[in-house]
Amino acid sequence: ILVRVVTDQVDSKGPIRIAIYDSKEAFGDPEQAILRDSLAPVEGFVIWEIKLAALPEEFSIAAYHDLDDNGELNRALFNAPVEPYGFSNNARSLVGPPTYEETIMQRPEVPTAIEVRVY
């Protein structure tokens, strides 16, 4: 598959960090991701190619634009993220991150493209 992550921060040279999770327990912890990468955006997006065989039946994608390239999603008051972030299914939540269930995708049977926007 091709995972395309799009950011509005086209002038930032910081990397877009992407992780794929296969369980609710691992979701949100990059150390427990089954796959992860860090890619430099070009003209506001990155493309990450992943072999279908590397994906489980169900999975979730999380990404953030590490504007200051410090290796972590910066947060402000009440733990709210201050760097652009997003999830598969473009899942959003008014309070905190979406649940793992809201972000789950099924492994496609044929190569396809998936887009994730980071806001």
Side-chain angles (χ1 to χ4, degrees), residues 16-21 29-39 48-50 55 60-62 64:
I16 293 179
R17 300 188 191 277
I18 313 166
I20 295 183
Y21 299 95
D29 181 356
E31 294 300 316
Q32 294 188 50
I34 59 168
L35 297 168
R36 63 179 181 223
D37 207 345
S38 178
L39 304 165
W48 186 25
E49 185 176 2
I50 303 167
L55 294 171
S60 173
I61 303 170
Y64 74 96

Side-chain angles (χ1 to χ4, degrees), residues 67-79:
L67 299 174
D68 61 1
D69 197 11
N70 70 348
E72 61 185 51
L73 178 61
N74 295 336
R75 299 177 182 275
L77 190 61
F78 301 114
N79 213 23

Side-chain angles (χ1 to χ4, degrees), residues 1 20 34-35 50-59 107-108:
I1 68 169
I20 295 183
I34 59 168
L35 297 168
I50 303 167
K51 293 184 186 288
L52 281 175
L55 294 171
E57 287 289 321
E58 292 186 339
F59 63 96
R107 182 180 65 216

